[in-house]
Amino acid sequence: MKDEVDVVIVGGGAAGIAAGRWLTDAGRSVLIIEALPRLGGRAHTVMLGGYPVDLGCGWLHSAERNPLSALAKSHGVAVDRSKAAWGDQLGAINFPKQAQQEAWQAYEAFTDRLAKTPPASDRASDALTEWQPFINGLSSFINGVETDRLSARDFTAYDDAASDNNWRLPDGYGAFIAALGRDVPIMLDTPVSAIRAGVVETGRGAIRSHSVIVTVSTEVLTHGAIRFPSAAADHLHAATQLPLGLGDKLFLSLADPEAVPAESHLLGRFDDEATGSYYLRPFGRPIIECFLGGAHARALEQGAAVDFAIGELRALLGADFAKGLRPLLATRWAKEPTILGSYSHALPGHAGARATLARPINDWLCLAGEACSPHDFSTAHGAWQSGIVAARHVHQAMPQ
């Protein structure tokens, strides 16, 4: 580690790694400072039951235009392009096919209203008419928050830009992101306490630098753990309007994998937004990947997630099936103090906060991360692209 570099990058997630790689290629000396003892941030792969699983982001969204898809190909990383089972209820269990069709038609009509005749309030829930629990449940998975706290304009910006091409990395998205940062100088397990012109204060002393790129989450920005110069006031205020929603995962092992088909899916309930979404045997593995979102996920972080998920699966697949389920791991992203949530959403009336957050603070200081993306927020590739934008800015502002 050097005690003086051209650019300090605060945060070793996708945005920080992208910025570090770009600046290194441009001939700048850089140092990524990460509070966690690992790289990747909200991209995190661990081994469970002998298989790599992603605790955070797991899908290459809008894969045909996702820059990380091209990087995976160039690095020889396996990419699975098969169609996901989302939207299909295995055996129409507790969700008849006619009801499924009506529910999805209602969701499409809802998103169409948001785009074409958005509510004056900009509150997405004001466009709800029917199938409200189902749509709020979907929003909790997609946005990490229910529709009453969601900007219609912000959601539409993402929805209009997104495609249905969602691919996976069998060896782990988080592992891939972390591997991309291995050639960039990194200081792990090191919280940053203050940033001022020419100096970044850390738990291991001060690092001098010409420029700084900060890639921490909006929740970390607003909680005051890092002191910023007064010039950042507008940006910190914008971060309060872009809080992190919550999407947690719970992984269960299957005693009898053949009891359910590989690559299948179940929604716990379609008439209650406080439900789970269950991906059965991803890649054929003897695992169930349970998704919990929004206010319900936040409440379950107190410790009831396992009982809730097994209870829903018991109601769907029977008591004998449920007896064979064993918990492997549950995430609690809202309780991770260096992140405090999953992905950002704009509060009603505040979609413009993303542009403020993404605007350079000055010639030597700027922010990056998924919340800075105008239409790919909540994704690793949105964070990645924002890191490159920030890197270009500080590079061009520095003496050549």
Side-chain angles (χ1 to χ4, degrees):
M1 183 200 70
K2 298 178 180 179
D3 59 6
E4 184 170 356
V5 293
D6 292 332
V7 185
V8 164
I9 300 166
V10 182
I17 291 170
R21 285 167 56 96
W22 193 95
L23 287 163
T24 299
D25 289 345
R28 300 296 187 181
S29 61
V30 303
L31 177 65
I32 294 176
I33 303 177
E34 168 56 51
L36 288 169
R38 60 171 180 81
L39 278 178
R42 285 167 272 178
H44 186 31
T45 304
V46 300
M47 298 297 293
L48 288 182
Y51 303 98
V53 299
D54 280 307
L55 305 188
C57 56
W59 296 82
L60 290 161
H61 294 296
S62 300
E64 76 286 353
R65 63 174 180 82
N66 187 325
L68 292 168
S69 299
L71 270 175
K73 181 178 180 180
S74 68
H75 282 72
V77 174
V79 176
D80 182 276
R81 301 189 181 196
S82 58
K83 185 179 183 297
W86 306 116
D88 296 325
Q89 184 83 345
L90 174 64
I93 299 172
N94 287 6
F95 199 178
K97 288 188 178 297
Q98 180 63 33
Q100 291 183 53
Q101 183 178 0
E102 292 174 4
W104 284 108
Q105 286 175 346
Y107 178 72
E108 293 299 327
F110 166 71
T111 60
D112 194 54
R113 285 192 296 275
L114 292 184
K116 295 179 180 177
T117 57
S121 64
D122 191 43
R123 192 179 306 277
S125 60
D126 289 348
L128 286 173
T129 57
E130 53 186 348
W131 288 94
Q132 294 186 22
F134 175 76
I135 293 172
N136 265 320
L138 289 183
S139 181
S140 77
F141 303 133
I142 296 168
N143 305 298
V145 71
E146 291 72 24
T147 57
D148 62 328
R149 289 179 53 80
L150 183 67
S151 160
R153 187 156 64 94
D154 193 56
F155 173 81
T156 298
Y158 179 94
D159 200 46
D160 283 350
S163 77
D164 293 329
N165 293 320
N166 300 304
W167 302 341
R168 291 175 293 176
L169 303 179
D171 295 325
Y173 202 161
F176 172 57
I177 295 290
L180 291 173
R182 287 177 185 156
D183 293 331
V184 182
I186 301 159
M187 185 169 15
L188 297 175
D189 209 12
T190 305
V192 168
S193 58
I195 296 166
R196 62 182 190 273
V199 178
V200 175
E201 298 286 351
T202 82
R204 299 188 185 186
I207 308 296
R208 293 187 173 277
S209 68
H210 183 281
S211 301
V212 182
I213 299 172
V214 179
T215 72
V216 300
S217 77
T218 54
E219 295 288 348
V220 172
L221 288 174
T222 60
H223 275 65
I226 302 174
R227 296 191 303 278
F228 284 86
S230 59
D234 287 348
H235 294 71
L236 298 181
H237 178 65
T240 67
Q241 299 163 344
L242 299 165
L244 296 191
L246 184 60
D248 273 328
K249 294 182 181 180
L250 165 66
F251 295 89
L252 303 171
S253 67
L254 286 161
D256 178 14
E258 298 307 315
V260 289
E263 293 289 335
S264 56
H265 173 259
L266 286 168
L267 181 67
R269 297 186 63 164
F270 62 87
D271 57 353
D272 190 340
E273 63 192 56
T275 191
S277 177
Y278 304 95
Y279 208 94
L280 311 177
R281 297 181 58 200
F283 303 113
R285 297 164 181 169
I287 291 172
I288 298 177
E289 190 173 15
C290 315
F291 294 82
L292 304 163
H296 182 53
R298 212 168 286 273
L300 291 177
E301 284 201 348
Q302 304 305 314
V306 172
D307 288 344
F308 175 82
I310 292 179
E312 284 209 315
L313 289 166
R314 181 183 296 111
L316 291 165
L317 296 169
D320 288 343
F321 178 84
K323 287 177 183 177
L325 300 176
R326 295 291 180 271
L328 295 172
L329 187 149
T331 67
R332 295 183 180 184
W333 286 107
K335 293 186 179 298
E336 170 48 62
T338 68
I339 298 172
L340 299 172
S342 298
Y343 30 80
S344 67
H345 62 93
L347 295 173
H350 296 292
R354 295 198 188 276
T356 300
L357 199 72
R359 187 177 66 237
I361 295 169
N362 51 39
D363 284 349
W364 62 269
L365 177 61
C366 58
L367 306 179
E370 54 87 14
C372 293
S373 175
H375 48 67
D376 287 325
F377 46 87
S378 79
T379 70
H381 71 270
W384 185 270
Q385 290 166 318
S386 78
I388 293 173
V389 170
R392 286 175 175 155
H393 167 75
V394 297
H395 174 68
Q396 291 167 2
M398 289 172 64
Q400 299 301 311

